[in-house]
Amino acid sequence: MKEKFELQYLFKTSPKILENKITSASGLGEWFADDVNIKDEHYFFTWDGYDEEAKLLSIKSNQHIKFQWISDIEEGLDTYVEMSFTVDAMTNAISLLITDFAYPEDRDSAILMWEQQIQKLRRLIGA
């Protein structure tokens, strides 16, 4: 059974820039995967020649994107990946919350993967 975990990161950038990087194919292709294509409500991700498809569950402007891996759907797993963000009214800092699921034995490597991807995102947007 996959277990839910959450990671939180602070950014100093505009919500519009961050939203583009987490919701658009071109934005996700710059930091999250090698290549991303979107067709209807399906996202197609490629990493080092490995392809993974996800179904868009919800997207809300200036708030979040949530999708589920097709492989998890096929296994009957109630899992998802969500990237949501809020803006602190006082500091204008953006808090990006990542929600993901992993098997207990894969949790540490999943967290490490997110840490590496978020470092790429930070370098990309200079935040």
Side-chain angles (χ1 to χ4, degrees):
M1 186 77 163
K2 286 189 174 182
E3 297 175 351
K4 180 177 173 180
F5 65 92
E6 295 180 334
L7 304 168
Q8 188 169 8
Y9 304 93
L10 290 176
F11 286 86
K12 291 188 178 175
T13 188
S14 80
K16 189 173 185 111
I17 289 172
L18 185 60
E19 179 177 35
N20 176 56
K21 298 301 181 204
I22 68 172
T23 61
S24 72
S26 60
L28 287 164
E30 290 182 88
W31 69 277
F32 184 68
D34 298 335
D35 189 42
V36 180
N37 291 291
I38 302 171
K39 183 174 180 183
D40 300 321
E41 293 190 349
H42 288 261
Y43 283 60
F44 300 88
F45 299 91
T46 302
W47 294 272
D48 295 326
Y50 172 75
D51 298 320
E52 184 83 39
E53 180 182 349
K55 180 178 190 231
L56 179 66
L57 299 177
S58 67
I59 188 168
K60 189 161 186 183
S61 184
N62 286 317
Q63 287 191 0
H64 79 269
I65 182 169
K66 185 176 182 179
F67 54 86
Q68 184 177 25
W69 301 115
I70 295 297
S71 58
D72 285 356
I73 292 172
E74 290 170 350
E75 289 182 42
L77 298 173
D78 187 22
T79 60
Y80 57 88
V81 174
E82 182 174 26
M83 294 180 247
S84 62
F85 65 93
T86 55
V87 180
D88 184 293
M90 300 285 277
T91 65
N92 284 332
I94 297 176
S95 176
L96 175 64
L97 180 66
I98 305 292
T99 305
D100 199 358
F101 290 76
Y103 291 109
E105 63 272 18
D106 297 332
R107 186 175 191 273
D108 289 346
S109 60
I111 290 171
L112 181 61
M113 182 277 303
W114 276 110
E115 296 286 340
Q116 292 169 340
Q117 301 311 84
I118 294 297
Q119 282 180 5
K120 276 189 198 176
L121 178 60
R122 282 189 193 285
R123 283 194 302 272
L124 184 66
I125 61 178

